[in-house]
Amino acid sequence: MSVKYNALVVFLFMALPGALNAQGACGPESRAFDFWMGEWDVLNRNRPAEDVRWYDTGTATARVYPVVAGCGLVEHWRGNAYGEFVVGFSLRAFNPQRGQWDLILLWPNSGQPRFGELYGGFRHSRGEFFSQNITESGDTAITRFTFSDITPNTLRWQDGISTDGGRTWDSSWIMEFSRREPLYQGALLNGPAVTTLRCPGPEYRGLDFLIGEWAGAVEADSAEAEGMGVRSNITPILDGCGLMEKVSAVGQTSAWEVFRAWTYEQALDKWVGYWLDTRWPVIQRLEAEVPPAGAPWVFQTVRPEPLDGDLRATMDRGVDGSVTWRQERFNAEAGQWEASPMVAYAERLGAPSQGG
């Protein structure tokens, strides 16, 4: 990559420090979780099955911060609960299409990571978020997560399970959050250093070639994309069970951000990712089969017929190590897929960084 190009990218990223915030497409509803941003100490209390008593089972550390120009929040969680060391990750954003929050969770403590989804919102300063699944016995189980007792420096989270349609709830986990120093930016302190991978199998290493910090450019197919530089930072998370990526693109007249989180789901034999983009601020799930050597990766929304805004993307890895993304969104009104400008990661800027 030329010195002239590098100078242009640096100039653009310095010249427009507020561009991403100015162009975020998120409404005031996206601020509902702002109370949770920051660094937290967490006291875990658990209740074993068939027991009426609650027990303190360990402490943890949580870090919550905004992504995608404030359209979403990311959580990293590490600590002790249920007598074992636990790690967790979540991405959440308000979905204006449904008028609810989408919560995407990845807690790979079984050794086989799998994303989970909950939906809900806040009412009277209490947040309630739900999902449904079918138990092994064929019953419908409803999961509920609640956020309550919210103050500037404390809050309470509690789980709940109902098998009678929500008439009664059984709970086994309470987290009591206490805020750390407001400007604390240290490491997540609880738990041992990562010396072994929680997901060691080769199937989980399929996207490790992306890890690191990258600089590139957006294909100039429009005046808006003219001179647009891209920075991407891709880090491992959850002790090697997943990856996350933060992308910032800044041009002379526009800017945008993307956040992506991936893991390999063994039950599907696919890589699964959740993406959030300022240009379309709704979390989307995409899946990709591992391609043959030398073939591109193809990520796409999986459903019988595409819906408006559905995404599909192709990632090519060049022989020189560069990475090129080509992306399309479905326009339901036109009944066709429409291409976005191509994004090329042309230069790795430094050694791969360590994630949470």
Side-chain angles (χ1 to χ4, degrees):
M1 184 177 294
S2 70
V3 174
K4 180 179 179 182
Y5 173 77
N6 274 326
L8 174 62
V9 171
V10 171
F11 168 77
L12 290 172
F13 274 83
M14 293 178 64
L16 295 177
L20 292 169
N21 287 330
Q23 296 188 32
C26 306
E29 301 91 346
S30 296
R31 305 275 73 82
F33 257 111
D34 282 5
F35 68 88
W36 201 31
M37 289 193 293
E39 304 279 345
W40 301 87
D41 290 315
V42 184
L43 173 64
N44 293 297
R45 306 183 66 208
N46 299 109
R47 185 178 65 81
E50 311 300 332
D51 196 334
V52 298
R53 293 168 295 181
W54 289 86
Y55 301 91
D56 295 348
T57 58
T59 59
T61 308
R63 171 177 293 164
V64 182
Y65 55 87
V67 294
V68 188
C71 293
L73 283 89
V74 164
E75 170 202 18
H76 297 278
W77 197 102
R78 297 176 68 82
N80 296 288
Y82 283 107
E84 60 181 291
F85 184 68
V86 179
V87 295
F89 167 90
S90 71
L91 169 67
R92 59 199 65 205
F94 183 77
N95 185 330
Q97 296 176 340
R98 279 201 296 261
Q100 292 183 309
W101 278 79
D102 297 341
L103 276 58
I104 311 302
L105 294 89
L106 185 59
W107 290 62
N109 300 292
S110 66
Q112 295 185 8
R114 181 175 180 271
F115 282 108
E117 302 179 1
L118 293 94
Y119 310 96
F122 289 87
R123 186 169 182 265
H124 301 315
S125 300
R126 175 184 171 93
E128 294 189 336
F129 306 90
F130 301 89
S131 67
Q132 290 190 36
N133 62 81
I134 304 300
T135 67
E136 293 181 356
S137 61
D139 298 325
T140 299
I142 304 173
T143 297
R144 180 182 68 186
F145 289 176
T146 62
F147 288 80
S148 64
D149 302 332
I150 299 167
T151 76
N153 295 308
T154 60
L155 64 100
R156 174 189 174 106
W157 173 96
Q158 186 166 356
D159 74 346
I161 300 289
S162 175
T163 55
D164 58 10
R167 289 187 293 275
T168 61
W169 295 90
D170 183 51
S171 178
S172 63
W173 194 352
I174 294 172
M175 300 184 199
E176 296 177 349
F177 287 77
S178 299
R179 188 179 297 278
R180 290 186 165 197
E181 293 296 325
L183 298 180
Y184 176 80
Q185 292 294 327
L188 297 177
L189 299 178
N190 287 78
V194 180
T195 56
T196 59
L197 295 176
R198 189 175 290 263
C199 299
E203 62 271 23
Y204 297 101
R205 310 276 70 82
L207 292 176
D208 279 7
F209 67 89
L210 290 171
I211 295 173
E213 188 174 5
W214 298 80
V218 178
E219 179 186 37
D221 67 342
S222 66
E224 182 179 343
E226 185 68 33
M228 181 170 276
V230 174
R231 295 286 289 270
S232 170
N233 190 25
I234 302 169
T235 58
I237 57 174
L238 302 170
D239 300 349
C241 291
L243 297 172
M244 72 176 191
E245 178 182 17
K246 303 174 189 177
V247 184
S248 298
V250 178
Q252 299 178 33
T253 61
S254 63
W256 45 263
E257 283 188 354
V258 176
F259 183 88
R260 303 179 178 118
W262 295 288
T263 192
Y264 171 79
E265 292 198 7
Q266 193 173 75
L268 297 176
D269 192 21
K270 290 181 179 181
W271 277 81
V272 177
Y274 283 84
W275 299 17
L276 183 63
D277 188 323
T278 51
R279 297 163 295 179
W280 190 274
V282 174
I283 296 176
Q284 296 211 359
R285 175 188 171 105
L286 290 90
E287 300 177 4
E289 296 181 349
V290 178
W297 288 74
V298 179
F299 292 87
Q300 56 189 345
T301 307
V302 178
R303 58 173 113 249
E305 296 293 335
L307 301 178
D308 190 51
D310 276 358
L311 180 65
R312 65 186 183 192
T314 301
M315 178 183 64
D316 283 297
R317 187 181 184 189
V319 294
D320 60 353
S322 63
V323 174
T324 301
W325 285 97
R326 295 174 175 84
Q327 183 171 300
E328 297 175 297
R329 285 197 183 276
F330 188 72
N331 184 326
E333 184 176 352
Q336 63 184 20
W337 292 90
E338 298 178 347
S340 300
M342 181 182 71
V343 176
Y345 300 166
E347 181 181 8
R348 193 187 294 273
L349 298 180
S353 57
Q354 297 301 312

